[in-house]
Amino acid sequence: MGKIRVYKLAKELGIKSSNIIDLLQELGEEISSHMSTIDDEIVDTLKELIDSKKSGTEKKKKTKEKSKKKKCRKKGQTVKKEVVQNAEASDEISSIDGGEDGENVIEVQLPLTVKGLAELLNVNPNTLIGKLIGLGVMATINQNLEPEAIELMAEEFGKRVKFITQEDKMKRIREIEDREEDLKPRPPIVTVMGHVDHGKTSLLDVIRHTNVTATEAGGITQHIGAYQTIVNGKKITFLDTPGHEAFTAMRARGAQITDIAVLVVAADDGVMPQTVEAINHAKAAGIPIIVAINKIDKDNANPDRVLQELSEHGLIPEAWGGDTICVNVSALKKINIDELLEMILLVAEMEELKANPNRPADGVVVEAELDKGRGPVATVLVKRGTLKIGDPIIAGTTYGRVRAMINDKGERVKEAGPSTPVVVLGLSDVPQAGDIFEVVEDDKTARIIAEERAERKRMQELQTKKVVSLDDLFKQIQEGDVKELKLIIKADVQGSVEALRDALLKLSTDEVRVTPIHTGVGGITETDIMLASASDAIVIGFNVRPDLNARKLAERENVEIRTYRVIYKAIEEVKAALEGLLEPEYKEVVVGHAEVRATFKVPKVGTVAGLYVTDGKINRNNQVRLIRNGVVIHEGKIASLKRFKDDVREVTEGYECGLGIEGYNDIKEGDEIEVFEIQEVKRTLD
Ligand SMILES: Nc1nc2c(ncn2[C@@H]2O[C@H](COP(=O)(O)OP(=O)(O)OP(=O)(O)O)[C@@H](O)[C@H]2O)c(=O)[nH]1
């Protein structure tokens, strides 16, 4: 029989513990304190008693309301719903319902000392200590209290507890809406999407270089994950990771930063599967799409066909009366790039993109890595506010103070406003791409929130610990219906990281997606393993090894690490594992034939055929097809397979046996039985 402590039940039912104790006494149960336990059976009786009291008081309440209404009507007054005050019934109700009015709730942030709680409850700490002793808790004034003890103590003084985190506190401040007059126009943030090889990277490159004027200091753009370009004096921010996968991965983490999607469609190839996917992803995000019909320099370019195909997918071109802006471009020959950029500005203007630059900044981590000389570096994209040197920030579970900022031109900057990408130095650890970053009050707040988040993450990991390995991926996929292989890719040089990542990404099919959730240069570290463990990923290392701590952690967390010295081998292995991931295809294989030489009617079983196996064999698990004069009469499962009186698993060619077909009796002498099985077809990804 289950038991529950009084205070827990009180919490569950939203009633004060003291009320529960009173009610239990009414039921003849001798209960002394909040910590006493009660049996399930008594709990049920108690709940019935509460219900009956509630309905009883409801009735009383209604009657009182009615009579009061009458009285009021006489006086020509309107009636408020909660008119019944001071009524005996309403007292009872509010104590049973717990009466959650704001004044009675104290907000508690852990850890909390006896002294802290005394202050919140506005009582003398010694009184509190005395009460705690009564509960069996020996605590000194500066000792931290367990959440349960805090709740009990609060209740003693007629208060309820609401536990809040530092993050909750900060959110409250952050959620204060900006005033309309504080909002200023901000540059649009653009993601380029489209099918493989349609020219996303070429387009991003040509835009990156087109508007970098010679007068600009340095003039050399840096790959930091995002860059800004200036068109007619206005800025546009481009995310450097093309494709909808990265875009959606960010969204899944709650980081929607893209304002406009540029969909690249090659004029010689038209709308392809990934084009459609990109359309759907952008649509799901609710962002406008501008189509760049690329490669119009090619002889076989057919932009009209592209327009036709686009409209089949719900993107009706402006030229055809719709509202989708389509621009014919050539990334290779730099045709119409300016027009495309102007269209982006036009759409941005229509979207009225605005942000308040005069508030503490927040935004998203676009890229992050551990730099040998500079420590953790992260490219962030500011969403609101202005990020400044010296700001205490938190990004995911890492925190720190902005020590230095570098823009996409490689220049050091002191501040970064809305829609600006900058590399930030000064974080304690490497955050993950897609992490939200926020400027907080002070270093301490940053550290507390980071710790809270890390703890929450750890708890989540403990709760949903799963293990993935390449070897039994197939089985796991079958059991869990998983359609994604998550990878963490580490290599000795950036070139290899990219080569491996690109090659592995290309193994993705419509059915199974390969998702590198983290890539980086350098050895495999504990952080990698933690990430793999938290995200159900496998760690792939090329020319790098895990350090001792990472190895130990991997063992503890059951994370698989595969290391290679040849890229080809890594791809081969993942590919092999993925073949198991694919939806299996089945084919039928005939394994034998038999002829019906006699039939028997067996009571309660039905007709059983006396067979002679002419070729192959019959297995109990096979299926059969009954053929009469060359025509298939029936197909079904084997109900019984016997030799003499014994059940058997298999009968081979040249032997006789008895066979029953599940749910079928119309078997005749001279019929033919074809025996077959369903086999899985191993498909390759080619
Ligand atoms: N003729 C012509 N070729 C182009 C143009 N734009 C890109 N290409 C070529 O198309 C090929 C693919 O271009 P990418 O920019 O790598 O395409 P992508 O969409 O980024 O490809 P993935 O990164 O593999 O998805 C390259 O060989 C480019 O040189 C263009 O405007 N005209």
Side-chain angles (χ1 to χ4, degrees), residues 242-300:
H244 54 270
E245 291 87 358
F247 163 82
T248 301
M250 282 237 189
R251 276 187 63 226
R253 307 201 59 192
Q256 160 122 354
I257 37 174
T258 303
D259 302 306
I260 298 168
V262 167
L263 181 70
V264 179
V265 188
D268 59 338
D269 205 18
V271 171
M272 299 301 281
Q274 279 184 285
T275 320
V276 179
E277 264 180 43
I279 295 172
N280 292 338
H281 282 232
K283 276 187 183 167
I287 54 168
I289 300 171
I290 296 176
V291 182
I293 301 176
N294 191 31
K295 307 197 186 183
I296 51 147
D297 58 290
K298 287 185 105 171
D299 291 341
N300 56 346

Side-chain angles (χ1 to χ4, degrees), residues 195-202 294-295 297-298 330-332:
H195 194 72
V196 181
D197 275 352
H198 278 198
K200 300 180 290 290
T201 312
S202 307
N294 191 31
K295 307 197 186 183
D297 58 290
K298 287 185 105 171
S330 165
L332 194 74

Side-chain angles (χ1 to χ4, degrees), residues 436-464:
I436 310 282
F437 89 82
E438 284 160 309
V439 170
V440 294
E441 266 172 87
D442 48 37
D443 297 342
K444 191 174 156 223
T445 311
R447 187 179 45 79
I448 293 172
I449 296 176
E451 281 165 5
E452 280 173 4
R453 285 187 187 172
E455 176 64 17
R456 218 170 31 236
K457 199 172 152 204
R458 205 178 58 82
M459 296 305 287
Q460 280 165 0
E461 280 165 15
L462 287 177
Q463 279 162 9
T464 55

